[in-house]
Amino acid sequence: PPHLPGTHPGNQNPPKTYHKALDRKTWAQAITFPASTVSQFPVDSAQSKLACLVAVAPKGNGPNRVTNVTETLRPLVSSNRAYWNGVLGPGTYTLTLEDPTDEPFPIVDVKCAAFTMAYYLNTSTNTLPVDVCDITQTLPTDLFSPNGGSSSYGGPQKADGSVRIYGDHFYMNSDAAHKHNYVQIRPSPSETLYARIWVSADTGNDIDLYLYRNGSNPGSLQNTSLGWDSDESAVWPLIPQGGPYVLDVNFFRVGSAATCNYFSFEIATKPASVLQQELLCPVPPPNE
């Protein structure tokens, strides 16, 4: 069977099916490739549910469009597939596939597992295609778990619930299926946690914020922020409860004047006791 190459020159279709040994050792293999101009880079990996975990992580830097790209994708539970489709600026990048598990495969006689890997570095144009948007920044699905996607933006939450998450180039998908973007927030186990949330979108867009006590129950809506312009902000208390709160970052209106629309997003959480200490006047008071 073909082996993953060490380098990829671009504008070529590599083989799609590869194999890896099933043993107790963790496994990782990297492919380095240069992007001489603005390039589109779609990646699709899949494998048997019982075989292995393949994480796709394009990493690198370049002076145009995208800098310091780091994206780690975990396969979807239902299909064990991972996707990535980004726009890269000129630079040198590394695509890493890895199986971080070290558990033995449960079927002794199976020594090798197949997986598919489709990728294509399109460097055929030196301008950004009009129908391709930079989607390298995506909102985390939760702020507390290792796989929730918050680590690239300042997460995950500490044991007391505190965290500060920030990103300035999140893509606004105009598809109705992406209107609701849910982010789970873990409350403090012992005291009220205050959450300060801020979004600022490109001109012509409108984002609303909804906070639910239970993401499975629409009747658990606790707070809303429903401004009419491209900025939205709120400060909300999260009292202790058994499960996470759910923040809905709702794309109320995605502008049509621009092909691609983006927004900045920040959320900071702190326990009430920490805020009270920070607001106390110093003793003795300052001289000035």
Side-chain angles (χ1 to χ4, degrees):
H3 297 281
L4 283 171
T7 60
H8 179 61
N11 300 317
Q12 295 183 15
N13 284 309
K16 292 185 178 180
T17 302
Y18 305 92
H19 292 78
K20 71 173 292 288
L22 293 174
D23 53 29
R24 294 173 181 265
K25 299 178 180 179
T26 57
W27 173 84
Q29 185 163 343
I31 306 172
T32 300
F33 56 92
S36 58
T37 184
V38 176
S39 308
Q40 182 188 7
F41 187 52
V43 178
D44 181 355
S45 85
Q47 67 283 332
S48 168
K49 290 183 179 180
L50 294 177
C52 61
L53 172 66
V54 175
V56 182
K59 299 180 180 179
N61 59 77
N64 192 10
R65 290 295 298 176
V66 180
T67 59
N68 298 322
V69 176
T70 301
E71 187 78 12
T72 300
L73 305 180
R74 302 296 177 185
L76 301 175
V77 175
S78 59
S79 62
N80 245 32
R81 301 185 68 179
Y83 307 88
W84 195 83
N85 186 4
V87 177
L88 306 176
T92 300
Y93 296 85
T94 301
L95 172 67
T96 303
L97 282 81
E98 63 178 5
D99 180 357
T101 61
D102 57 4
E103 296 295 325
F105 193 66
I107 304 175
V108 177
D109 293 336
V110 177
K111 305 297 184 182
C112 187
F115 65 93
T116 63
M117 181 69 188
Y119 58 98
Y120 186 88
L121 179 66
N122 181 7
T123 63
S124 59
T125 177
N126 59 5
T127 59
L128 182 67
V130 296
D131 59 344
V132 175
C133 297
D134 175 7
I135 60 172
T136 53
Q137 285 194 15
T138 56
L139 283 175
T141 55
D142 71 62
L143 304 186
F144 51 84
S145 73
N147 297 328
S150 67
S151 58
S152 298
Y153 309 108
Q157 289 176 275
K158 297 179 181 179
D160 65 358
S162 61
V163 75
R164 180 181 180 272
I165 302 294
Y166 177 74
D168 61 0
H169 199 64
F170 292 104
Y171 174 57
M172 293 187 67
N173 196 322
S174 59
D175 192 317
H178 297 275
K179 178 181 178 67
H180 300 275
N181 302 269
Y182 298 108
V183 182
Q184 297 184 74
I185 309 169
R186 184 180 61 194
S188 169
S190 58
E191 61 177 309
T192 298
L193 188 73
Y194 282 91
R196 175 176 56 83
I197 307 161
W198 170 80
V199 295
S200 180
D202 294 342
T203 302
N205 299 277
D206 186 5
I207 298 177
D208 293 331
L209 302 174
Y210 298 80
L211 182 69
Y212 294 88
R213 295 187 301 276
N214 183 346
S216 301
N217 180 11
S220 68
L221 179 65
Q222 175 171 297
N223 298 98
T224 62
S225 181
L226 309 175
W228 288 98
D229 55 13
S230 56
D231 296 332
E232 205 76 57
S233 64
V235 177
W236 293 328
L238 311 180
I239 62 175
Q241 63 176 31
Y245 287 78
V246 176
L247 173 68
D248 178 9
V249 182
N250 186 290
F251 296 163
F252 180 79
R253 181 179 65 252
V254 179
S256 58
T259 302
C260 305
N261 293 281
Y262 302 94
F263 67 100
S264 298
F265 173 82
E266 181 179 18
I267 178 170
T269 61
K270 285 187 179 182
S273 60
V274 175
L275 288 176
Q276 290 171 355
Q277 289 296 320
E278 292 179 348
L279 294 174
L280 290 177
C281 293
V283 179
N287 296 326
E288 300 176 355

Coordinates of all heavy atoms in Angstrom, one line a residue, residues 34 77 80 84 91 99-100 124-125 130 140 146 149 161 200 208 241 252 271:
P34 N 5.1 23.6 0.7 CA 5.2 25.0 0.6 C 4.0 25.6 -0.2 O 3.5 25.0 -1.1 CB 6.5 25.2 -0.3 CG 6.5 24.0 -1.1 CD 5.8 22.9 -0.3
V77 N -18.0 11.6 15.8 CA -18.3 10.3 16.5 C -19.1 9.4 15.5 O -18.9 8.2 15.4 CB -19.1 10.5 17.8 CG1 -19.5 9.2 18.4 CG2 -18.2 11.3 18.8
N80 N -16.5 9.1 12.0 CA -15.1 9.1 12.2 C -14.4 9.7 11.0 O -13.4 9.2 10.5 CB -14.6 7.6 12.3 CG -14.0 7.3 13.7 OD1 -14.4 7.9 14.7 ND2 -13.0 6.5 13.7
W84 N -11.2 19.8 7.0 CA -10.6 21.1 7.1 C -10.5 21.7 5.7 O -10.1 21.0 4.8 CB -9.2 21.0 7.7 CG -8.7 22.3 8.2 CD1 -9.0 22.9 9.4 CD2 -7.8 23.2 7.6 NE1 -8.3 24.1 9.5 CE2 -7.6 24.3 8.4 CE3 -7.2 23.2 6.3 CZ2 -6.8 25.4 8.0 CZ3 -6.4 24.3 5.9 CH2 -6.2 25.4 6.8
G91 N 3.9 30.6 2.5 CA 4.6 30.1 3.6 C 4.9 28.6 3.6 O 4.5 28.0 2.6
D99 N -2.2 9.4 15.8 CA -3.0 8.5 16.6 C -2.5 8.6 18.0 O -1.5 7.9 18.3 CB -3.0 7.1 16.1 CG -3.9 6.1 16.9 OD1 -4.4 6.6 17.9 OD2 -4.0 5.0 16.6
P100 N -3.0 9.4 18.9 CA -2.4 9.6 20.3 C -2.7 8.4 21.2 O -2.1 8.4 22.3 CB -3.1 10.8 20.8 CG -4.4 10.8 20.1 CD -4.2 10.2 18.7
S124 N -2.8 27.4 -7.9 CA -2.8 27.8 -9.3 C -3.2 29.2 -9.5 O -3.2 29.7 -10.6 CB -3.9 26.9 -10.0 OG -5.2 27.0 -9.4
T125 N -3.5 30.0 -8.5 CA -3.8 31.4 -8.6 C -3.1 32.2 -7.5 O -2.9 31.7 -6.4 CB -5.3 31.6 -8.6 OG1 -5.6 33.0 -8.7 CG2 -5.9 31.1 -7.3
V130 N -12.9 34.1 -5.3 CA -14.0 34.8 -4.8 C -15.0 34.0 -4.1 O -15.8 34.5 -3.3 CB -14.7 35.6 -6.0 CG1 -13.8 36.6 -6.6 CG2 -15.2 34.6 -7.0
P140 N -15.5 27.7 19.5 CA -15.4 26.4 20.3 C -16.8 25.9 20.6 O -17.8 26.7 20.7 CB -14.7 26.8 21.6 CG -14.9 28.3 21.7 CD -15.0 28.8 20.3
P146 N -11.0 19.3 26.8 CA -9.8 19.3 25.9 C -10.1 19.3 24.5 O -9.4 19.9 23.7 CB -9.0 18.1 26.3 CG -9.5 17.7 27.7 CD -11.0 18.1 27.7
G149 N -12.4 22.8 21.6 CA -11.9 23.8 20.7 C -11.5 25.2 21.3 O -11.2 26.1 20.5
G161 N -14.0 27.9 37.1 CA -14.8 28.4 36.0 C -14.3 29.5 35.3 O -14.9 29.9 34.2
S200 N -18.3 41.6 17.8 CA -18.3 42.7 16.8 C -18.1 42.2 15.4 O -17.0 41.6 15.1 CB -17.2 43.7 17.2 OG -17.1 44.8 16.3
D208 N -26.9 38.1 17.5 CA -27.7 38.2 18.7 C -27.1 37.1 19.7 O -26.6 36.1 19.2 CB -29.2 38.0 18.5 CG -29.8 39.1 17.8 OD1 -29.3 40.3 17.9 OD2 -30.8 38.9 17.1
Q241 N -25.1 25.0 38.9 CA -26.1 24.1 38.5 C -25.4 22.8 38.1 O -24.2 22.8 37.9 CB -27.1 24.6 37.4 CG -26.4 24.9 36.1 CD -27.3 25.3 35.0 OE1 -28.4 25.9 35.3 NE2 -27.0 25.0 33.8
F252 N -28.2 36.5 13.3 CA -29.5 37.1 12.9 C -29.6 37.6 11.4 O -30.5 37.4 10.7 CB -29.9 38.2 13.8 CG -31.3 38.8 13.6 CD1 -32.4 38.2 14.0 CD2 -31.4 40.0 12.9 CE1 -33.7 38.7 13.7 CE2 -32.6 40.6 12.6 CZ -33.8 40.0 13.0
P271 N -15.4 34.1 39.0 CA -16.3 33.9 40.1 C -16.6 35.2 40.8 O -15.8 36.1 40.8 CB -15.5 32.9 41.0 CG -14.5 32.3 40.1 CD -14.2 33.3 39.1

